[in-house]
Amino acid sequence: MSAHQVLIAGQWKSANSLASFHAENPATGEKLAEEFPISKWADCDAALSAAVDAAALLRKIPAEMISRFLRTYADRIEANASKLVEAAHLETALPKSPRLAEVELPRTTTQLRQAADAAFEGSWSQPTIDSKQNIRSYLAPIGPVCILGPNNFPFAFNGISGGDFAAAIAAGNPAIVKAHPSHPQTTRLLAEEVVIALKESGLPPATVQLLYHMSNEDGLKLVSDPRTGAIAFTGSRRGGLALKAAADVAGKPIYLEMSSVNPTVILPGALAERFEKIADEFAGSCLMGSGQFCTNPGFVILLAGQSTDGFIAAIKQRFEKAPSAPLLGPGVHKSLITGIQLLQQAGAKLVTGGSAVSAPGYRFQNTLLRVDGAQFLREPKRLQSEAFGNASLFVVAHDIAEAKLIVDRLEGNLTGCVYSSTDGSDDPLYDQIAPSLRIRVGRMLNDKMPTGVALSPAMNHGGPYPSTGHAGFTAVGIPASMRRFGMLYCFDGVRAERLPPLLRDKNPNGRCWRMIDGRWTQQDVGMV
């Protein structure tokens, strides 16, 4: 079987390839039949040139056409759900039902339709009008966006269908997608639906292009190329920082989601009040999807006491009772082993698990570790290393003062959570912990585990470094996620007929900020 073709400038073409690769079935460890190319720089170069041409055309195209594409694409994903789910299941070992068919695929199409609505409505661009001085500004497309998706969500975060893709396209940019090598066939099948949706909606054929793999050197060259407008990446901290270094040298904005242990603080009153419920919630959250969520609760702070020891014992029982689900592939398996070894070397003690499972595919025992607060404060950097997978570290503080010191030493995270009693008995403790935790996380939760990331305009799926590369932006939540891929255009004294429609004094669509009597006021753009 010859390697599949890449998608460049609207055409499926044989790749200029260095070599080829196959994905693996993580449940069995067997190599899958489909073969995919590792592109040379010539493919990257051709995709960039085509994307530049597409970007120029997209700037002139009505937002309605972009909206139509996203809706058509969502429709086509749904119409081909069965084959997409089958492919994703083979490449990730994630359950077809309910995970892929009833949860992740509908989430993906909902997100695409939300992006379609935002593209059509236009207020994501934040049009701002100072009529008195005739100065106007808004966010406009930044240019070709390179998207590198992760391995853990083959639909909802896939580079060719996920949140970064939806946001970049809705903001009016072409996308150059690098497939994740763990699920290239799923990505190829999605790309086939993209091609049809582009044709039906009338967008430039090079609005979306797909390469399956490339060398690290060419990947760094791609993100730093002058033709690249911005980059979106979800993956490891090591990979993300290498890309960031290349993008920074070239002055390119890059949005990274890299690593997070998602600290969860469980206060004594909460345990006394609903011990079993919290234990069930934690075990379910930590082991869901074999722990392969960027919001997995991998770091738990408890206060020393009899109930704490009982809680750890209860989690141990739940972990040992639950089956070890397949990990996404050999890379995740190796990384998890290394991460747990690092935690142990820094002083953490195994409560349960800690070894690979002797079975086909890539499985690891459900793993729980424990360390006291004093040891954490001696080794804070190593003891908050991410062990991505079905593992968590419990840090037991001597008292609330030590717990606060632990929180003060935390790196930036996507989420942080505090469980407290409903009768108010934990409130004094909460008030000591919450302010420090709040500034170290993007999303603060109370009394719920962090694994769910809702498709809400108020959602923040981002956080301080190193959870992401920029604490001011979110990867989930439209329209905010679209603003990552906008460039601020300012018009000073430009004649009315030369202004973009959203910045004219009379326009029926959208809303803007307008200076009235020395104060900024949000109004319908159609108002004078």
Side-chain angles (χ1 to χ4, degrees), residues 372-507:
D372 63 46
Q375 179 61 23
F376 173 83
L377 292 172
R378 286 190 285 269
E379 289 276 7
K381 186 174 180 62
R382 290 200 294 169
L383 282 169
Q384 58 187 305
S385 302
E386 183 182 32
F388 185 75
N390 50 329
S392 190
L393 172 69
F394 281 11
V395 182
V396 181
H398 175 70
D399 53 23
I400 193 65
E402 187 171 77
K404 184 180 182 302
L405 289 175
I406 293 167
V407 172
D408 288 342
R409 300 299 296 272
L410 292 175
E411 297 179 329
N413 280 271
L414 294 171
T415 72
C417 172
V418 182
Y419 273 79
S420 60
S421 63
T422 59
D423 63 8
S425 60
D426 281 332
D427 286 1
L429 304 180
Y430 182 92
D431 290 343
Q432 293 184 62
I433 288 288
S436 293
L437 185 62
R438 172 62 279 181
I439 62 173
R440 288 169 173 82
V441 302
R443 175 167 55 115
M444 181 81 163
L445 300 98
N446 276 187
D447 305 305
K448 60 187 292 190
M449 289 295 159
T451 37
V453 182
L455 294 180
S456 165
M459 176 53 63
N460 178 20
H461 189 57
Y465 177 86
S467 62
T468 71
H470 196 305
F473 293 91
T474 176
V476 176
I478 290 168
S481 63
M482 296 166 61
R483 296 178 189 132
R484 296 173 296 164
F485 308 119
M487 171 182 170
L488 190 61
Y489 282 24
C490 181
F491 299 84
D492 189 343
V494 174
R495 299 175 194 175
E497 67 274 13
R498 296 174 178 170
L499 291 168
L502 279 176
L503 295 183
R504 294 174 187 170
D505 285 329
K506 291 186 178 181
N507 189 289

Side-chain angles (χ1 to χ4, degrees), residues 74-94:
D75 292 344
R76 294 206 60 82
I77 289 174
E78 289 174 345
N80 292 275
S82 59
K83 71 176 182 181
L84 288 166
V85 166
E86 184 64 35
H89 170 67
L90 281 174
E91 292 184 319
T92 66
L94 295 171

Side-chain angles (χ1 to χ4, degrees), residues 182-225:
S182 290
H183 45 70
Q185 173 69 349
T186 305
T187 307
R188 185 187 71 82
L189 293 175
L190 287 164
E192 289 181 347
E193 305 311 320
V194 162
V195 171
I196 296 170
L198 287 171
K199 185 176 294 186
E200 291 184 3
S201 60
L203 292 191
T207 297
V208 183
Q209 300 178 91
L210 171 65
L211 306 175
Y212 298 103
H213 209 355
M214 62 197 67
S215 68
N216 290 340
E217 180 184 1
D218 285 341
L220 298 176
K221 190 175 178 181
L222 178 67
V223 303
S224 61
D225 191 279

Side-chain angles (χ1 to χ4, degrees), residues 501-522:
L502 279 176
L503 295 183
R504 294 174 187 170
D505 285 329
K506 291 186 178 181
N507 189 289
N509 295 323
R511 296 178 66 82
C512 75
W513 288 96
R514 191 184 299 273
M515 179 72 80
I516 298 176
D517 297 328
R519 299 182 65 183
W520 287 105
T521 305
Q522 194 176 44

Side-chain angles (χ1 to χ4, degrees), residues 148 220 223 231-248 254-259 465-469:
L148 299 88
L220 298 176
V223 303
I231 306 99
F233 168 85
T234 302
S236 70
R237 186 189 304 193
R238 179 180 178 183
L241 291 182
L243 291 168
K244 186 178 188 302
D248 286 349
I254 181 167
Y255 300 100
L256 307 159
E257 182 194 318
M258 295 181 289
S259 66
Y465 177 86
S467 62
T468 71

